[in-house]
Structure formats: structure tokens, C-alpha cells
Amino acid sequence: MDSKAVRQKFLNFFINKKHQIVESAPLVNKNDPTLMFTNAGMNQFKDYFLGNEKSKYPRIADTQKCLRVSGKHNDLEEVGLDTYHHTMFEMLGNWSFGDYFKKEAIEWAWELLTEEYKLPKDRLYVTVFEGDKDDNLGLDQEAYDYWKAIIPEDRILYGSKKDNFWEMGDQGPCGPCSEIHIDLRSEEEIKAKPGKELVNNDHPQVVEIWNLVFMEFNRKASGELVNLPAKHVDTGMGFERLCMAIQNKRSNYDTDVFVPLIDYLASKANVNYGTSEQTDIALRVISDHVRAITFAVADGQLPSNTGAGYVIRRILRRAVRYGFTFLNFKEPIIFELVDILDQQMGDVFNEIRAQKDFIKKVIEQEEASFLKTLENGLKRIDTIKEVMESVGESVINGKTAFELYDTFGFPLDLTSLIARESGLSVDEKGFHEEMAKQKERSKADAVKETGDWTVLDQVEKVEFLGYDDLTIEARVIQYRTVKQKGKEVYQLVLDKTPFYAESGGQVGDNGYLESENERLKVLDTKRENDLIIHIVENLPANVKSTFKATVNKSKRSETMSNHTATHLLHHALREVLGTHVEQKGSLVNEKELRFDFSHFQKMTDEEILKVEQMVNQMIRENLSLEESRNTPIGKAKDMGAMALFGEKYGDFVRVIKFGDSVELCGGTHVKATGNIGFFKIVSESSIAAGVRRIEAITGKKAEDYVTEQLELINEVKNILKAPKDVKASIKQLVEEKNQLEKEIQKLHAGKAGDLKKELLDSKIEENGLVKIIGKVDLPSADSLKQISFELKNELSNLFLVLAANIDGKPQISVVIGEQLIRDKNLNAGNIVRELAQEIKGGGGGQPFYATAGGKDLSGLDRVVEKALKMV
């Protein structure tokens, strides 16, 4: 049974059990501050478990894209080294929200595995929770009894809290679980050692394939367990492991999920999978990592230097590094695998098929960029080796090794390998100390203490009224304390609110809550899953008061103008550049708007002007807002509204229309485009491969910007004494300046030539070396470098020290002939550092050439004296 059939059989089975099949949530988790990536199938249903929202369907099943490369679940450094860890994987799951419980979950799991998938019953083991004294929990007898009815008792194993009690985090829904394991070893191996002894012991062929979690408790911040108002089922089955079991393979990488990717790479590298551990690991790393990168980019997360983007960049660079080092891939190749992924998974995950060309371009350009970084890293290692050889050291210190890892992406094993080839070693202890320091810094930044919610009242769903009203009467229904970086704030949830919570690129509202006795400032409004959270500095004196909740009107008004302008901008970009343009991110606040979009080249001045004019034309037309709330998603798409990849939409959506601009959007907008006033693009730039960014302003800020530019032009006119043609006058000035610079360069060259002759005349030859040591005046650092290298090229065995006055600033240049470096163990870098003390400065460089700068011009004479004594 191929992998496509395995996936479909799972979904069909649960359709027959009256489950609603839902789409996978995006890989990047946007509305949950506790989670960077979706790392389990239950993430998108978190609010159902917490009781914040009621599920429309009591039974659900799906296949969920998951990524485990950050936080508690981080398998990245294990991937490829063994045959069963992955970064991105599919989690097949079925859920019950207050409907069926342990009996049905257990019976259906057994039915699917043994009757539908035909897995051998005598190869399966199950585990149940043995209880835990600290939590005052006993054996999960209920689960045990249900299993006992369908499987021999000697195949039911007890599991500890670590293995058989599932928790979402330090706080939140949790409960005992029952795992199903399969033994895929040969008959000989099984006879030698029973599979029950290897369950949960990280054996690559005795693996867990399905986890049935029975959610019945809520873990409080104090550690106390309380019963949930309803009992739920949350199951997760690793798709890749299931395929391994069904296809009777010994590794996930031997299934048709990975074989096409590995075969393609092996062919390109001219190697055979299974013949070399090094190349096998590299093939596994790349074939795994390309899946994670592809799905992340498809869901709108581009490689970058911060947050989730940094994690994706690390994954891609790890893949490039393995290909570069062990498969000799010196040019981009990983992007080519996207075509194979499209063939394998494009039918199920349409986001890959729809954006295939864009994904390939992003990966290709990111690969090319990092390959250059790798080359620079190798040059840096060569420099380190030269310095160490020149001073007789043989151990690369931990700080330097960590710099190679952090800056150039060189893992410790790669640095060690290169070092060994040159007879050097690496201070591994020092490297790990530096790594630990970095982790501690990251932990310190991320430490956040979140208290339990104090619940005063419960409502079915918090109502957002801020589309129509900026002031309403509201009550606090729950609150909690949050401490981070030594600061304490309070988070409030109201029964209804006019405050817009940050999402979709639009910042959250601020304002105030006012009762008869006090007025509280609302600092910000955030969204946590489906909760709207108001952040305040102080807890209300009486949390049970009725408050007048009022939004900051001016901030909201300016933010709305900028948000509507992004819609008009998006429409104009597609008109001017083409329909390949798609939104890839945005930021909208009261000061500015930022819009990221797919486009593979810099916009011309003419294109920018045309887009700007088109937006301002729509503003002048004063197009009215046509808003459709609670529109069925299918109807919204029929209206022409674009769904953004990486966003999770419900069955009913809000459609925002201004003329021909039609978008799905939950943000706030002006009633008519004329309210925007004026639109001005401030900049257009590249932020990632295939992604451009426009920054713009509207209204009064745009007027002020234009006024400032006109004032600047008037100042220039006054300086130029009001010429008729400002452009021609400036052009003439630039031409005159260029001509003068050329004449100055000729004068400098002549002076440098005279100085070079004087230095050659002053050379002293003795003891097998040529000494030139002197104090000079030069116009620039470039002149100093040029003279130093010209003398180096003309004289062998040169020992050169020039103490230079460069426009009133002291600089030193040291050149050492290559033979002197070898025979006399001289090093220009070490020498220049010692000489730099005389000018109160510092410097360095390579063994043959080094420079230094300083603060004390009077020290140049001492530099010359010290250099003469050195010789």
C-alpha cells in the first residue's frame, strides 16, 4: 500500500465513524504566543479543550502538518543521524469533544490497524498509565480493561508519567494516554529478545505508531490537577512511521515518502544510498529538511534572522551544509526537490502546488546565499589555521569554534574535521560552554511566568463589537497575572469588547476601562487562540464592576486608514506587476503601513509611481466600504476574495470590498477611501528571496512628508542661487566634482610614487632581510595599503613598517615576506598589535600583512623606534 493510499484509508475510516474531516492548520502558529510552530495535531483545537470555544463538530479527523524543531520538542540535531527522527511530519488524528471516550478510541484504533491496514496482531504492544503518587493518580484501570478485551494481557504494558501522561505544557489540559507500539524486527531478533523489553527504549524498529490521549484534567500553575468540564479524546499517529510498518520497512526513510527524494539526490551526487554512513546521513538530512522548508514557505514563513524565520533558515542551512560537505553539492540543488514533493503531496496540500514556483525560487536563492557564506567560513578557517601555525598553537579555542558555528553555520564536527586534516584540534569543552551561554541568554529573554486564570463568569464566546462601536459597557469575566523581565502586568478578558486584538498584521488597540471609582489604561490588546486579552498595569480595585470600555479613537482612525491603504496597494500591485503578486506579510499601525509581497525583481521608479497614482485615484473616488460579515467561505471565494496561504479560515468569513479590491479580512477599515486622504510610498526594498517590501504613509503624515521634501528642494535651490533648471545645475556640480577628484587622484598618485622611491632608497639589506621602516604622510588608508603591497611585490624577504599620518590620524602598516614567516616565525598581526600600543590603538591581520589605527598621533615616532629595536 503506497503512502497516498495509507493516508486516504485513515480519513475514509473515520468518515465512516461519523467524523468531520478538517484541513490541516498552517505550520506556523500565529495566534498562540506559547507556540512558534504547530507541533501536534491538537494545536488547532486547543480552545475546545480549554473551554474557550465550543466545537461545531463533536467528532473530527485530519492529517496535520507538524514541525518539532524548537522549544520542548526539538529533534533537529538528531535528524538524519538516525533513521526515525524528523523535523516536519504528518500527524494523523481523530478527536472527540465531549462525545466518545476511551472505549471507542481504543476499539477503533485496533480495528483500523489490524483489520484495515492488516498489521500483524502479534507484533503490537500497548501501554497504559501506571499512575503517579505525586499527582495522586492510580492505574488507568478503565483503559486497561478495554485493552484486555481485545489483546492478550502480556501485551499490555505499564507506562510512567513521562511516557503515558500527556500534557500540553506546564499548564493546561492533560490526561493519561495509551500508546500502540509495533515490533518490526526479524523473527530471529524477536526470539532473541521479546519486543516488550524494547518498548519506549528508542529502538529504531520497536516504535510507537499511535498515541491515544484521554483529556480529563487541567493542570493549574500550582501543579494541581482539576477535572475538565468535559472529557475529550485526542489521538495522534505518525504518518511516516505508519507507512514504515505497513510497507514492512526498517526505516521511515525506506518508504515511498522519502525514497523518491533520496534517489534523486543520490543520482545527482553520484552515490548509492546504503553504502556510506556519511553520505547516507546527508541524504536523509536533505530529504527530511526540504519537506519542513517547503511547507513553512508555503504557509507564509520565509527564512529570516529572527523568530520562526530564523528556525527555518537554520534547517535549510543544515541541509545545505551536509550537501556541501558530504555530497559535494557546490551549487543550489535542494530547490529541485520541490517538484517531487508536489507530485507526492500536492493533491492533499494544495498550498505546495499553488506556490511551487515561488517556493523553489525562495529556496534556491537562500541556498545560493548560504553557499557563499560557507565559502567565506572556509576562508575564515584557513586564516585561523595560518595564524595558529605562525604562533605555534595547535588547538582552536572554543570561542572561535562557536563563532564559526554561529556566524557561518559550521557545526562542531565539521570544524573538528577540517582542523584534524591540518593537524589541529578544537577545544570542544570551550565550544559547549559558549553554546550554553547563548542558550542561557535566550532562556533569560523568554522566561515568562503566567498565572492561572481567575474565572468570574463564563460566556459562550467573547463578542467583538469594535467594527461598529468604540465605547461599550463591559464586565471582566476572567483575569490573570503575567510576569516577564521583572515586570508584572495583568491580562483581562471582557464579556464583550470594542478593542481590536493584534492579528492579521494590524496592531492591537489601546484605550481605557472606566468605572465609577477608577480609570485603567489598556496598554495593548492581544489574541491568544480565540481569547481577546486586554493588558493593563493594575488590576481593577473591584473586578466585578461594570466598566466603560473605550478605544483610543485617533490611533484606531489612523490605523484603519493604513489598513485600508494596504488593500488598495495590494490591488494596484497586481494590476501593475501581475497576478503573481501575493501578500506575504504586513504591518499596520497608526504611524505607517508595511506590505510584503511576492515579486522577483526590484520595482522600477515608473512602476512605483504608477502604483502610487492608482492608489490615490481610488482614494479620490471615495469608494465606499462594502462589508460582508459571516459569509460562507465558498461564496467569499466566488466573490473574488483571495485567501492568504498560511492563514486558517473558518466556514464563515468577513469580506472587505472597495471597488475592485476584494479581500478576506478581520481587521478594521475606513467607511470610504476618501477618509485616507493621501497615500505616499516611502521605500521599496527586498527582504527575502522573491519577496519585496513597500513602506508607505497616509493622511497627515503623507502630507508632512511631501512638505518636507519640497522644503528640502527649496533649500537646495537657495544654495544653488535659484537656478532655472535645478536638475541641470546639480548635474553640472557632480561632473565638476568628479573631474576635481580625478585631478586629486593624479596628484596623490604622483606623491605616492615619489614617496615609494624615497622608501626604496632608504631600504637596508642585512641578515637576509630587507628593512624599510619609516614615518610617512599619506592622504588615505588606501594609499598606505597600495604602497605597502607595491613594495611587497618588488622586494623579497621584506620587513616593512610604515607609521603613517593620514589626515591627522595615526595608522600603522606592517608587511612580512613569506619566507621570513616560514624561516623566522614572524607574524605581521602580532607585530602590529605590539606597535599599536604606542598610538593607543589596536589592529591585526594576516601573517604577511596587518594594519592598526589609534588615537595618539604623537606616538608615530615611538612606533618607528620600537620597530627598529624589533629588527
Side-chain angles (χ1 to χ4, degrees), residues 275-291:
T275 58
S276 160
E277 184 180 8
Q278 280 191 341
T279 57
D280 284 358
I281 289 172
L283 292 168
R284 289 196 292 268
V285 165
I286 299 171
S287 61
D288 170 274
H289 288 10
V290 69
R291 288 160 33 99

Side-chain angles (χ1 to χ4, degrees), residues 143-191:
Y144 187 95
D145 290 342
Y146 287 132
W147 278 119
K148 188 171 67 171
I150 57 178
I151 189 173
E153 286 188 73
D154 64 349
R155 292 186 169 271
I156 307 173
L157 311 176
Y158 294 143
S160 66
K161 180 179 176 180
K162 172 180 171 289
D163 292 321
N164 277 81
F165 193 87
W166 194 93
E167 305 200 49
M168 190 164 60
D170 295 331
Q171 295 168 242
C174 54
C177 61
S178 189
E179 300 172 339
I180 304 173
H181 297 253
I182 189 164
D183 187 346
L184 299 171
R185 296 174 301 150
S186 67
E187 292 292 343
E188 291 76 19
E189 290 173 298
I190 290 172
K191 286 177 183 176

Side-chain angles (χ1 to χ4, degrees), residues 408-690:
F408 300 102
F410 278 51
L412 180 60
D413 56 357
L414 179 57
T415 303
S416 299
L417 179 68
I418 296 169
R420 280 197 303 273
E421 290 172 353
S422 304
L424 304 173
S425 62
V426 178
D427 174 15
E428 295 192 12
K429 183 182 177 185
F431 172 87
H432 291 302
E433 286 172 356
E434 292 296 324
M435 177 75 84
K437 287 179 190 175
Q438 187 196 56
K439 287 181 178 177
E440 284 303 314
R441 288 193 294 269
S442 299
K443 280 182 185 176
D445 289 340
V447 168
K448 184 176 180 180
E449 294 180 33
T450 304
D452 289 322
W453 285 112
T454 298
V455 179
L456 304 176
D457 195 2
Q458 289 186 324
V459 296
E460 189 169 323
K461 188 174 177 68
V462 174
E463 196 175 359
F464 173 64
L465 303 174
Y467 293 136
D468 305 308
D469 298 299
L470 297 186
T471 300
I472 64 165
E473 297 283 319
R475 293 178 298 107
V476 177
I477 59 171
Q478 60 188 69
Y479 64 88
R480 70 182 177 188
T481 309
V482 175
K483 295 178 183 177
Q484 190 168 27
K485 296 183 179 178
K487 187 178 180 182
E488 184 174 85
V489 296
Y490 296 89
Q491 297 183 343
L492 311 179
V493 178
L494 307 178
D495 62 335
K496 50 186 178 294
T497 181
F499 289 87
Y500 181 81
E502 178 182 336
S503 62
Q506 180 176 331
V507 297
D509 283 330
N510 59 23
Y512 62 88
L513 299 175
E514 191 171 27
S515 68
E516 291 181 0
N517 304 314
E518 62 184 327
R519 179 175 167 132
L520 297 171
K521 188 175 181 182
V522 176
L523 306 174
D524 200 358
T525 312
K526 300 282 188 182
R527 184 177 293 277
E528 184 171 315
N529 301 300
D530 276 350
L531 278 185
I532 297 174
I533 295 172
H534 309 77
I535 299 169
V536 296
E537 285 183 321
N538 301 300
L539 195 65
N542 182 2
V543 290
K544 295 184 179 179
S545 296
T546 297
F547 293 90
K548 183 170 77 171
T550 303
V551 173
N552 179 334
K553 187 176 180 181
S554 63
K555 179 186 176 185
R556 168 70 82 84
S557 176
E558 290 168 354
T559 301
M560 289 195 305
S561 289
N562 284 333
H563 198 158
T564 301
T566 63
H567 284 221
L568 305 184
L569 172 61
H570 192 188
H571 175 71
L573 285 167
R574 288 173 65 86
E575 289 289 311
V576 173
L577 302 178
T579 54
H580 66 280
V581 167
E582 290 179 352
Q583 181 178 335
K584 293 298 174 185
S586 68
L587 172 67
V588 178
N589 57 33
E590 74 277 19
K591 297 175 183 176
E592 62 184 349
L593 65 93
R594 198 174 71 197
F595 190 78
D596 303 336
F597 59 99
S598 52
H599 188 55
F600 291 101
Q601 60 194 44
K602 180 178 172 61
M603 288 178 68
T604 65
D605 292 341
E606 292 76 14
E607 287 170 338
I608 292 172
L609 179 61
K610 194 170 181 181
V611 166
E612 198 175 75
Q613 289 173 338
M614 189 174 290
V615 172
N616 280 312
Q617 176 62 33
M618 288 187 277
I619 291 172
R620 286 191 297 273
E621 289 172 4
N622 199 26
L623 303 169
S624 296
L625 166 64
E626 296 178 48
E627 179 190 21
S628 302
R629 299 181 193 174
N630 296 316
T631 305
I633 184 72
K635 183 180 178 183
K637 290 179 179 178
D638 291 341
M639 292 167 65
M642 283 194 304
L644 298 180
F645 290 107
E647 294 291 339
K648 181 72 177 172
Y649 298 101
D651 295 331
F652 293 89
V653 294
R654 179 167 173 257
V655 180
I656 296 297
K657 187 174 187 293
F658 290 98
D660 293 331
S661 167
V662 187
E663 295 197 24
L664 300 178
C665 182
T668 61
H669 290 274
V670 298
K671 298 299 181 186
T673 57
N675 295 350
I676 299 170
F678 181 48
F679 172 83
K680 183 67 186 171
I681 292 175
V682 175
S683 69
E684 189 272 351
S685 60
S686 170
I687 62 160

